[in-house]
Amino acid sequence: MAEVVVSGVFKRFGPVAALSEIDLTVHDNEFVVLVGPSGSGKSTLLRIVAGLERQSEGSVTIDGRDMAGVAPKDRDVAMVFQSHALYPHMNVFDNLAFNQRIRGVDRKTVDARVREVAERLEITELLRRRPRQMSGGQRQRVAIGRALVRDPRIFLFDEPLSNLDAELRVRLRTVIKRLHKEMRRTSVYVTHDQVEAMTLADRVVVLRDGRIEQIGDPDTLYERPANEFVAGFIGSPAMNFLQGEAAGGVVRIGTVETTAADSLSGPVTVGIRPEDLLAEGAGDGASIRARITLVEPMGADTLVFCTTEEGQELTVRLPRYTAVRERETLSLTPRPGAVHLFDPETGQRLN
Amino acid sequence: MLDSRYKHIFLLPALLALVAIIIFPLIYTVRLSLSGWDVNFPELDYIGWDNYARAIADGRFWDSMGTLYLMVLFCVVFEYLLGFALALMLWKEVTAGRFFRVLFIVPMCVTPVVMAVVWRTIFHETLGPMNDVLGWFGIPAVPWLSKSGPAFAAVIIIDVWQWTSFMFILLLAGLMSLPREPYEAAQIDGAGPIRTFVHVTFPLMAPITLGALIIRLIESSKLMETIYALTSGGPGSSTETTSYLLYIRGLREFQIGYTASLSIIYLAIMIIALTIFARSMSRLMIGRQGPVRA
């Protein structure tokens, strides 16, 4: 059992508010990912949970116990850092065993535990190596191992994969996901990479400028983003935003119409994901016409960048076998029911 | 190749400077050491290895070497310990930390000879303030400059006073450049301040420490001005370092040929000693270097 409750947390660095009004409950065994652009306060929030940073206001409780004044070592948390933060002069074995030795665990138990973790992470042959003698990926495996050996109530990850190259990042991501499936420990994971967030999380917390923009499972975040920021941040390539006009239960985007709530009227921002723009509906003339400026074949599908007659940039994800060429004109229609409407002023979702 | 010829032309001025400053004097010294050049016969004759044979039998030379090493050892160890302690104290934000940082640098900026003269006054047996201060605590007057033990200590005190700040600056700069994350990892692991120092600060500082120690070893083994102004190597030859002896033999007694041979021996020993030291220290502090990967 380990439930983390963050309530009413503010963090100020002088006059700068790094976090404002953070309320978040991480349930037992849940994998929560904090995601946001740099400076959004996600690492600060994690460090407050770890006890490395003290909140200016509000409280953090773990399993109902208030953590005010509780040192990081007494919170039973383990943390994996971006820069691995291994002890440089110790070999892998000693790095893994360090915490257990400090805590006075007997030699045999430590030995067995280290070997078990090493096996699980496939780093047994590295046990005698020092950090400097390993590659970045190996070091980060060891850093994850150091957290595992402790068998803590809560795992904290502070951008653990950000320093690795793309291929390794994907590999270690699956390692982390598999470990979580096996061990089922409460985990909080910070990243700026929304793909990491989507693939790992049970629930994603999107932060911007120290505020929570939305909390939800990956599907909800993708299908029903609460506001324009989340809509633009989650998903790659990013969602397209177009100007629309709502009146009498219909939203008009150029010559295209989609249904909307009757109460809606006036200008709206229309969000359409690249894969929800369909190129086939050219028949009836009611379409968004856009000239192709660039084609990026991705293998599984093709990304098409184009410009509408109004000069708006659009990204369209087309199936692999669509024959398109640059300077051609596409007739696009949004997939019915996949249109997101936002208030152009507040950015809040309207449908 | 045309471009390779250009390369050599561009390198030439630097090479010439190098030859003029280092290579020529070195070779000339070697040649001198094989001659009997002195006050009476200022000529570059050839007397074979006689100077070297004489040097090897010269007890005063080897004694000066012993004095030097002992002095350097004390100086560098004290400077390192004090400098590191000060750096650790001023590392974390301290009130007026900036002021202290500047203050500690002052001794380094003073000319050694000037300072030695000032210190000679301070250490004066009857007139100097040092013995006054000691007197307040009931410590009898110390014959600072007229007894070998205290004179030896006086030289070390001055060197430590003057050069601790150098260690301090290097080590403080090192401390301030250390990454934050290993400390946080140690904090979460539950390591206390001593364990954190032993397992995080000290090992992370090892390369910087090693560099600082070697620089100071090289510098302090040239110890000469302080001794010249403070004790003139005395009383007796108790504070006579090798470079001071070389000065006496060469520039006071004008035994140029013989002094050249002493210099060559001294140089060879220094190079060997420092190499061994650097190797063994880096092995001790940083560990056997395996293949390093990014």
Side-chain angles (χ1 to χ4, degrees):
Chain A
M1 253 303 278
E3 188 184 61
V4 183
V5 179
V6 178
S7 56
V9 162
F10 283 78
K11 174 71 185 176
R12 296 183 196 92
F13 293 105
V16 184
L19 290 172
S20 312
E21 254 192 288
I22 301 292
D23 289 298
L24 171 67
T25 304
V26 182
H27 303 297
D28 188 30
N29 300 344
E30 196 182 21
F31 200 113
V32 165
V33 175
L34 310 179
V35 68
S38 54
S40 59
K42 51 195 192 302
S43 280
T44 309
L45 181 54
L46 188 80
R47 292 161 55 78
I48 287 173
V49 172
L52 294 170
E53 205 95 60
R54 196 177 297 168
Q55 66 272 28
S56 312
E57 248 178 74
S59 71
V60 174
T61 63
I62 296 176
D63 283 345
R65 189 174 155 220
D66 188 8
M67 286 292 123
V70 178
K73 68 183 169 81
D74 299 322
R75 295 187 177 201
D76 201 8
V77 298
M79 190 152 166
V80 180
F81 295 88
Q82 181 174 0
S83 72
H84 68 76
L86 296 173
Y87 304 114
H89 67 305
M90 291 185 198
N91 63 29
V92 170
F93 188 98
D94 293 332
N95 260 293
L96 293 178
F98 186 63
N99 167 270
Q100 299 292 297
R101 285 181 186 154
I102 288 183
R103 279 164 209 250
V105 179
D106 72 278
R107 229 189 136 94
K108 261 192 172 160
T109 316
V110 174
D111 215 80
R113 211 176 278 178
V114 168
R115 292 199 181 279
E116 189 209 312
V117 166
E119 212 143 290
R120 174 172 277 195
L121 285 167
E122 295 163 24
I123 51 173
T124 307
E125 70 278 15
L126 302 176
L127 282 175
R128 294 286 147 222
R129 293 240 195 125
R130 293 196 180 205
R132 69 164 78 236
Q133 297 165 314
M134 296 188 292
S135 67
Q138 290 171 327
R139 285 183 207 159
Q140 208 50 278
R141 261 173 205 266
V142 175
I144 293 169
R146 183 166 65 172
L148 285 182
V149 170
R150 299 189 38 192
D151 197 15
R153 281 190 300 180
I154 302 164
F155 280 106
L156 304 173
F157 298 88
D158 191 0
E159 307 214 19
L161 308 181
S162 298
N163 283 2
L164 305 178
D165 61 60
E167 194 195 334
L168 262 172
R169 204 178 304 168
V170 174
R171 281 228 307 268
L172 268 183
R173 198 171 73 199
T174 54
V175 169
I176 292 175
K177 182 145 189 168
R178 193 165 299 137
L179 283 173
H180 181 249
K181 291 257 178 279
E182 286 167 22
M183 310 205 22
R184 282 277 145 209
R185 285 286 183 289
T186 308
S187 306
V188 185
Y189 187 107
V190 165
T191 180
H192 61 261
D193 180 354
Q194 49 94 17
V195 177
E196 247 169 60
M198 298 290 277
T199 48
L200 285 169
D202 293 325
R203 278 195 304 155
V204 180
V205 178
V206 183
L207 286 144
R208 177 173 62 156
D209 297 337
R211 288 178 189 278
I212 292 179
E213 294 282 336
Q214 189 173 6
I215 304 178
D217 61 83
D219 286 342
T220 309
L221 244 53
Y222 196 75
E223 283 160 17
R224 292 191 60 78
N227 53 47
E228 213 181 311
F229 172 75
V230 176
F233 190 74
I234 301 289
S236 171
M239 188 186 275
N240 298 299
F241 293 106
L242 297 157
Q243 299 308 319
E245 194 71 29
V250 171
V251 172
R252 206 180 288 278
I253 318 144
T255 57
V256 181
E257 285 180 4
T258 66
T259 51
D262 289 336
S263 55
L264 211 59
S265 69
V268 290
T269 301
V270 182
I272 307 167
R273 292 209 180 273
E275 65 271 27
D276 293 331
L277 276 171
L278 307 175
E280 51 260 30
D284 57 351
S287 65
I288 304 163
R289 294 179 59 79
R291 210 170 131 86
I292 300 173
T293 55
L294 199 67
V295 177
E296 276 185 359
M298 305 281 286
D301 41 29
T302 302
L303 290 183
V304 179
F305 298 89
C306 42
T307 315
T308 65
E309 281 153 0
E310 288 80 39
Q312 187 131 31
E313 304 273 337
L314 288 180
T315 314
V316 186
R317 191 197 293 271
L318 294 177
R320 186 177 170 184
Y321 297 106
T322 320
V324 281
R325 245 174 285 125
E326 280 163 30
R327 287 197 286 279
E328 277 181 359
T329 303
L330 280 178
S331 299
L332 301 163
T333 50
R335 190 191 302 275
V339 173
H340 310 264
L341 301 177
F342 302 101
D343 188 314
E345 267 160 40
T346 63
Q348 293 304 308
R349 188 180 185 86
L350 295 171
N351 63 335
Chain B
M1 286 269 289
L2 192 71
D3 47 343
S4 103
R5 205 167 60 213
Y6 277 123
K7 183 176 75 187
H8 289 117
I9 292 170
F10 282 122
L11 280 172
L12 203 60
L15 280 173
L16 283 177
L18 196 72
V19 168
I21 296 169
I22 297 176
I23 313 274
F24 172 74
L26 189 67
I27 291 170
Y28 192 70
T29 309
V30 172
R31 176 64 191 90
L32 266 178
S33 73
L34 302 173
S35 78
W37 189 317
D38 62 13
V39 184
N40 304 320
F41 300 99
E43 276 164 52
L44 210 55
D45 57 350
Y46 182 76
I47 60 163
W49 298 92
D50 286 5
N51 281 331
Y52 287 93
R54 192 179 144 204
I56 287 171
D58 187 343
R60 191 165 163 194
F61 175 64
W62 298 108
D63 282 349
S64 77
M65 201 80 96
T67 308
L68 175 73
Y69 281 125
L70 204 59
M71 232 173 225
V72 166
L73 185 74
F74 275 112
C75 288
V76 175
V77 167
F78 280 128
E79 282 159 21
Y80 171 63
L81 293 178
L82 278 173
F84 205 0
L86 286 173
L88 283 170
M89 278 159 62
L90 288 190
W91 173 27
K92 300 284 158 66
E93 278 314 301
V94 181
T95 340
R98 209 173 262 264
F99 170 73
F100 283 113
R101 274 174 214 166
V102 175
L103 190 71
F104 287 152
I105 298 168
V106 171
M108 222 171 66
C109 309
V110 184
T111 317
V113 178
V114 175
M115 263 348 283
V117 173
V118 173
W119 277 97
R120 195 170 64 192
T121 323
I122 293 174
F123 281 130
H124 195 281
E125 208 175 324
T126 49
L127 305 172
M130 190 64 136
N131 279 341
D132 266 1
V133 175
L134 292 180
W136 298 344
F137 300 99
I139 299 168
V142 179
W144 283 112
L145 302 176
S146 52
K147 268 207 152 165
S148 57
F152 192 82
V155 173
I156 291 168
I157 288 171
I158 296 173
D159 196 76
V160 169
W161 178 83
Q162 187 153 35
W163 291 109
T164 295
S165 49
F166 177 78
M167 280 282 189
F168 161 77
I169 292 170
L170 276 189
L171 295 172
L172 184 66
L175 282 173
M176 300 216 288
S177 71
L178 294 186
R180 187 179 62 173
E181 290 189 335
Y183 285 91
E184 296 183 335
Q187 217 180 326
I188 288 176
D189 272 342
I194 295 172
R195 272 210 179 88
T196 306
F197 179 80
V198 173
H199 294 299
V200 183
T201 309
F202 193 74
L204 286 177
M205 285 291 287
I208 298 152
T209 304
L210 192 64
L213 285 179
I214 288 172
I215 293 173
R216 271 311 294 146
L217 278 178
I218 294 171
E219 273 296 307
S220 65
S221 46
K222 293 189 288 196
L223 197 60
M224 148 83 202
E225 307 97 317
T226 314
I227 290 161
Y228 173 83
L230 190 76
T231 64
S232 302
S237 62
S238 60
T239 57
E240 190 173 271
T241 60
T242 313
S243 34
Y244 189 68
L245 178 70
L246 290 178
Y247 161 74
I248 295 174
R249 289 278 190 261
L251 297 176
R252 286 230 190 116
E253 299 170 0
F254 268 97
Q255 305 188 44
I256 303 291
Y258 179 53
T259 309
S261 75
L262 291 181
S263 314
I264 296 293
I265 294 173
Y266 171 69
L267 183 69
I269 290 176
M270 283 306 294
I271 290 171
I272 293 167
L274 280 171
T275 309
I276 293 172
F277 173 81
R279 281 263 172 83
S280 51
M281 285 300 275
S282 79
R283 200 158 285 174
L284 190 75
M285 297 177 74
I286 304 173
R288 225 170 268 275
Q289 304 240 346
V292 177
R293 289 193 220 159

